[in-house]
Each structure stands twice: as structure tokens, then as C-alpha cells.
Amino acid sequence: MNAQRILSQLMKQAGSGQRQKSGSSGVDIKSLLGGGALGMLVGSKRGRSMGGKAIKYGALAGLGALAWKAWQTHQAQKSAPAEATTATDQPLEQLSGERQETRSLVILRAMIAAARADGHIDARERAALAEQIDALGADDELHAWVEQQMSVPLDADAIARDADSPQAAREVYLASVAIVDEQNPMERAWLDQLSAALKLDGDLCRTLERQTGESPA
């Protein structure tokens, strides 16, 4: 599959939206994101206000770096010593090859699950999202995988099992936060299920949530 390529394209969409939000060109953020796969996934189709949420989506553009920054902040607040990292416990952007592909796949899975958390994606919207993903260059295997992810039961534990390191868990949670509307009880409940499955403590989750309001480093 070419999950890394698709996630990279989605991150570029998010980065473009963040830059336009910060600039003064007058470009319509809703049109920019709403017309693409990211717009479909994050739910602008349901009439959500893009406004400040464009900043949240911008967090996807620097996902690994922001998740790592949140971890460093969390450790500093606890006055905990720095922990050694393994080959897999690195930010997404620093991975390569199969490790990056595997990480990208679990993040995409988490993003799709977060988009489905309120139960409002119907067959027509699933088809539209599949078309957008295909337009980004999904191969047949990834296309079939996306179709499957749009219909399987939501399973936070299964997603957590595919997160191969603490950094992967932080990135999965951060990506999910960028997608959901925390004011929606169903979506908030999904985040709580996911954080428990990923074994992320409450303080770290709150730090990660705050990171979605900041620009990538």
C-alpha cells in the first residue's frame, strides 16, 4: 500500500489551510479544505465552522513534531528525566521505508475512525471520500483498505495495538483530536476510549489537545 504518500498529501492540504488561515490573501479556507480529501474527512461537509478549526487541521501538517513537543512539555512539567528512544519511537517525519508506511497506516486508520465517531458518514459520503483518496494516488490495495475502514466497527483497542511505540500512540491521538469536535459528546467519548486504549495519561492528553492550537515547529 502507499499509505505514507496519501498521509503526506493530507498533511500538505492541512499545511496549506494553516498558511492561508495565517495569511491575508482572503482565500476561503472552507473551500480550500472542503473540496479535498481532508475536508471530507474532517467533516466540513456537515457545515462545521472552519474558523479556528483550520488551526486544528494545521496540526496535521507537523503531526510528529507536535506530538514530540507535547511529550517534551509533559516530561518537563513532571520534572522527569529524558527517556532514550528506539528506532520506532521517533516522530513520523524522521521515519523512513516500512516503518514510515506502517506508522502512516495506523494514523490514517485513526483519522477515519475519528471522522466516523459521530456516526454521520453515510454511503454517499463514503463514496465521495474514496474518490478523493483515489485522486491523491491511492493504489488498489489502499483503496480497498479505506473502503473496509469506513464500514468496520470502531475499535479503539485494535487501533492501539497497531501503534508500535509511545510516539506512535501520541501521534494517533493528536491526529484524532485534529479531526473531532470535542463539543460533540460522541466524539469526545471516542477520544476518551482511544486515550484509555493507548494508555495515555490525562495530563499528556490535555497537552496534546493544546498542541492542536499551535503551529507546527
Side-chain angles (χ1 to χ4, degrees):
M1 286 191 278
N2 53 357
Q4 189 279 326
R5 176 182 174 183
I6 301 305
L7 182 60
S8 177
Q9 291 296 318
L10 290 173
M11 291 168 73
K12 287 179 181 178
Q13 284 186 13
S16 295
Q18 174 66 22
R19 288 191 294 273
Q20 295 294 351
K21 173 67 179 176
S22 301
S24 57
S25 65
V27 173
D28 183 354
I29 303 299
K30 184 172 182 179
S31 296
L32 181 65
L33 295 183
L38 181 60
M40 290 294 297
L41 195 59
V42 299
S44 62
K45 62 189 183 305
R46 297 200 290 272
R48 291 180 180 174
S49 170
M50 296 298 286
K53 291 184 75 66
I55 299 175
K56 284 187 60 177
Y57 307 154
L60 296 172
L63 185 66
L66 282 178
W68 186 255
K69 179 181 177 181
W71 172 245
Q72 291 179 315
T73 299
H74 178 67
Q75 291 295 91
Q77 290 172 344
K78 296 196 310 179
S79 298
E83 296 183 1
T85 60
T86 65
T88 57
D89 196 28
Q90 295 176 336
L92 172 68
E93 298 86 350
Q94 295 180 20
L95 299 176
S96 61
E98 189 61 31
R99 287 196 180 104
Q100 191 175 58
E101 177 73 6
T102 299
R103 179 78 59 81
S104 297
L105 199 62
V106 69
I107 291 170
L108 282 175
R109 184 179 182 185
M111 291 170 68
I112 293 171
R116 295 178 56 209
D118 66 355
H120 287 171
I121 296 184
D122 58 26
R124 179 185 60 80
E125 291 163 343
R126 286 199 299 270
L129 177 58
E131 288 181 7
Q132 292 289 342
I133 292 292
D134 286 348
L136 293 179
D139 56 24
D140 291 343
E141 187 180 6
L142 183 60
H143 175 90
W145 180 85
V146 170
E147 291 278 5
Q148 179 188 41
Q149 295 303 312
M150 295 300 290
S151 58
V152 297
L154 297 180
D155 189 338
D157 290 328
I159 293 174
R161 285 194 296 271
D162 286 343
D164 61 3
S165 67
Q167 174 66 14
R170 295 188 287 268
E171 290 173 2
V172 162
Y173 188 77
L174 184 59
S176 300
V177 171
I179 297 295
V180 303
D181 178 359
E182 299 99 321
Q183 303 306 310
N184 181 301
M186 295 176 68
E187 298 183 44
R188 180 69 251 182
W190 171 251
L191 282 182
D192 293 342
Q193 289 179 44
L194 188 61
S195 64
L198 293 167
K199 296 181 172 57
L200 300 175
D201 70 48
D203 288 341
L204 177 55
C205 287
R206 285 185 285 274
T207 302
L208 286 164
E209 290 169 17
R210 286 195 295 271
Q211 289 296 96
T212 62
E214 300 181 16
S215 300

